[in-house]
Amino acid sequence: MTPDKSPLLKAAPWWRLSTGRTLVVRGGRPLIGTYPISGAKNAVLPLMVSALLTPHLVTLRNVPATLDVAVLAALLQKLGCEMHWSATGAGLSVTLSADRVQPGRIDPELVTRMRASVLLLGALLARCGEARLPMPGGDAIGLRGIDFHVTGLRAMGATVELAGGVIEATAHGGLRGADILLPLPSVGATENLLLAAVSAKGTTRIRNAAREPEIADLAACLISMGARIDGVGSHVLTIEGGLPLAGAIHAVLPDRIELGTLACAAAITDGELSLPHARVELLGVAAPLLDAAGVELRDVDGGVVARRASSGLAGIDLVTGPYPGFATDLQSPAMALLATASGVSTVSETIFEQRFRHVDELRKMGADIAVHGRTARIRGVARLRGGNVTCTDVRAAAALVIAGLGATGKTTLDGLDHLDRGYDRMTEKLAACGADIVRF
Ligand code: EPU
């Protein structure tokens, strides 16, 4: 589906008017050069939503120029939030001003375009005492319920009804602190409840909270706004809510998934990439696992250098898990790499039920992959070959770009909205590192 870009352009004027619908990669050229790592896709979205909590100015730096950011900007603008964008050498910055918020002005079409729109629930309840939005959209990678979000908000005194695909929530007497145990360390539920808890009266404890670096980034921004949050980076977050929230200036965390993705791209092409702004430690256990697969990662001044180990690519066994486990968002890029590693690899997906949709596309390019339940068994082939493939979700799109860069011949990708949702100017950044890649 081609998104109607007009509300996006109004809210995010930097969003490109016309982006080609087809990407052509001619593989076999080593990637050599500097690929700047942008702000994290999954950190910037909750950070933008946090601006709804205060009437004061929130400035975010290092904002990635992605479709998701443009869609969220359009949603926030409808709600009454004003935005001022500026582009500097250091990337995009935005100053958000949510002086007046009109919770009724939700654009249902925009909400259904992405998962992170569910975060509006916690923020609007906190700021306005009410929220009404359709069920959020996002990648079709599993069931992706919102029961943890709803149960937590109810524990904080909100009334939440779900009927006919619409979520209706009120807390006219204000939210109150609560003791909440998450059944799983859900990233989105932790963020939603954190956003609500900083404005709730009293103490909220979120147990079994997610520990992803994006949560710590949100907490850091909220703390600089004046919130009191203990236990950041641990499984128990304790929030003293109800303190007045001022504005903040915050630089978005570097994108660890973009880092891992480009490291795989450097290794599959036998190139060497300098990845400014990133740090190896952000990858958690993915760093030693990628190393075992033959992806050398080295911290240098101001960034990371990634290249293929002289011993070549080797098969590994990996299991996705909550941070610091192997990120599910790196699973498909890693699988593209392992498709040409010597020996047999196994990849087990434990977070989402349907996150192997890239397998059929990789097979079209000659990959030897068999799927049994939630585990894929990959027998490495010497080389993938170009093909016509379709991106089925954000990370599948990145996997297919990696496969195309490492393949012989021409790969044609469609379904590029997925790529645009999560990656900041990937085509341009790859071309600057020597890739033969064009979009039209
Ligand atoms: N879950 C429930 N009920 C809930 C919430 C979650 O059953 O109320 C389940 C999910 O179905 C899933 C598991 O819990 O099986 C974990 O889901 P989580 O809530 O942690 O994921 P999310 O918040 O929906 C975010 C990222 C995803 C990333 C996951 C895991 C954003 C906008 N999305 O999703 O990113 O894969 O955390 O790290 O932050 C991507 O960037 O490609 C992407 C899908």
Side-chain angles (χ1 to χ4, degrees):
M1 181 190 72
T2 304
D4 168 13
K5 294 211 176 72
S6 47
L8 273 57
L9 278 178
K10 209 168 129 220
W14 45 266
W15 182 248
R16 292 156 290 185
L17 247 184
S18 148
T19 49
R21 311 310 306 152
T22 305
L23 187 70
V24 173
V25 185
R26 286 186 174 78
R29 293 166 66 142
L31 286 177
I32 295 176
T34 299
Y35 188 113
I37 297 300
S38 299
K41 161 191 182 280
N42 288 342
V44 69
L45 303 174
L47 287 168
M48 287 171 72
V49 173
S50 75
L52 289 178
L53 297 176
T54 173
H56 302 287
L57 301 182
V58 174
T59 297
L60 300 175
R61 299 202 171 123
N62 198 30
V63 173
T66 60
L67 177 56
D68 269 7
V69 167
V71 171
L72 183 57
L75 263 168
L76 292 174
Q77 193 174 60
K78 278 253 176 188
L79 289 167
C81 182
E82 286 175 23
M83 267 159 284
H84 176 74
W85 294 94
S86 59
T88 64
L92 272 178
S93 289
V94 62
T95 297
L96 302 106
S97 165
D99 190 16
R100 278 182 300 274
V101 180
Q102 295 161 295
R105 297 186 55 195
I106 281 275
D107 183 325
E109 197 270 329
L110 294 175
V111 169
T112 52
R113 278 201 208 166
M114 68 177 184
R115 175 76 181 173
S117 49
V118 73
L119 302 178
L120 295 171
L121 205 56
L124 288 176
L125 271 175
R127 179 77 189 273
C128 311
E130 61 181 87
R132 185 178 195 279
L133 58 152
M135 284 294 281
D139 288 325
I141 52 181
L143 287 174
R144 308 194 83 181
I146 59 160
D147 45 329
F148 308 161
H149 304 239
V150 170
T151 306
L153 292 170
R154 282 184 179 145
M156 294 171 80
T159 302
V160 188
E161 308 287 347
L162 293 112
V166 175
I167 313 162
E168 227 164 323
T170 50
H172 288 307
L175 294 167
R176 55 170 190 270
D179 208 321
I180 299 164
L181 173 65
L182 292 176
L184 294 171
S186 155
V187 172
T190 303
E191 291 166 347
N192 220 341
L193 298 173
L194 193 52
L195 287 164
V198 292
S199 300
K201 280 193 205 81
T203 306
T204 297
R205 191 156 293 129
I206 308 173
R207 300 176 197 274
N208 202 19
R211 294 166 54 200
E212 270 65 5
E214 292 75 20
I215 309 266
D217 205 38
L218 173 62
C221 182
L222 292 170
I223 288 169
S224 66
M225 288 161 76
R228 194 166 301 154
I229 305 168
D230 285 332
V232 175
S234 80
H235 274 313
V236 183
L237 293 172
T238 305
I239 303 108
E240 295 299 334
L243 299 174
L245 295 177
I249 299 176
H250 182 85
V252 182
L253 176 83
D255 196 316
R256 64 196 164 99
I257 307 302
E258 189 183 35
L259 164 66
T261 301
L262 269 298
C264 290
I268 203 170
T269 64
D270 202 5
E272 177 166 323
L273 286 180
S274 177
L275 304 163
H277 316 309
R279 305 186 300 280
V280 174
E281 158 248 333
L282 282 173
L283 289 169
V285 307
L289 271 165
L290 288 174
D291 183 66
V295 184
E296 253 182 39
L297 289 156
R298 195 163 34 95
D299 277 316
V300 292
D301 208 14
V304 170
V305 170
R307 66 173 183 207
R308 185 192 294 183
S310 53
S311 48
L313 301 179
I316 54 167
D317 300 315
L318 74 85
V319 182
T320 63
Y323 192 82
F326 195 100
T328 170
D329 295 343
L330 265 185
Q331 179 256 106
S332 31
M335 199 185 293
L337 175 86
L338 296 173
T340 62
S342 64
V344 174
S345 301
T346 60
V347 171
S348 300
E349 171 59 52
T350 70
I351 306 289
F352 293 111
E353 305 85 357
Q354 293 163 28
R355 217 175 198 184
F356 279 152
R357 293 174 68 202
H358 48 281
V359 168
D360 282 343
E361 304 304 305
L362 289 173
R363 281 193 192 123
K364 288 183 195 164
M365 300 177 68
D368 182 353
I369 307 175
V371 175
H372 303 284
R374 285 188 165 203
T375 298
R377 189 178 160 83
I378 303 125
R379 196 176 292 279
V381 296
R383 207 73 196 262
L384 295 173
R385 55 173 189 273
N388 295 333
V389 289
T390 300
C391 307
T392 50
D393 67 69
V394 178
R395 308 308 174 182
L400 295 173
V401 172
I402 292 171
L405 290 167
T408 51
K410 173 175 148 189
T411 298
T412 305
L413 286 84
D414 59 29
L416 298 181
D417 282 350
H418 292 295
L419 192 66
D420 291 338
R421 284 190 48 209
Y423 294 90
D424 179 356
R425 292 164 295 131
M426 186 186 253
T427 312
E428 292 89 327
K429 291 202 255 182
L430 283 173
C433 297
D436 184 345
I437 186 166
V438 285
R439 191 162 166 168
F440 57 87

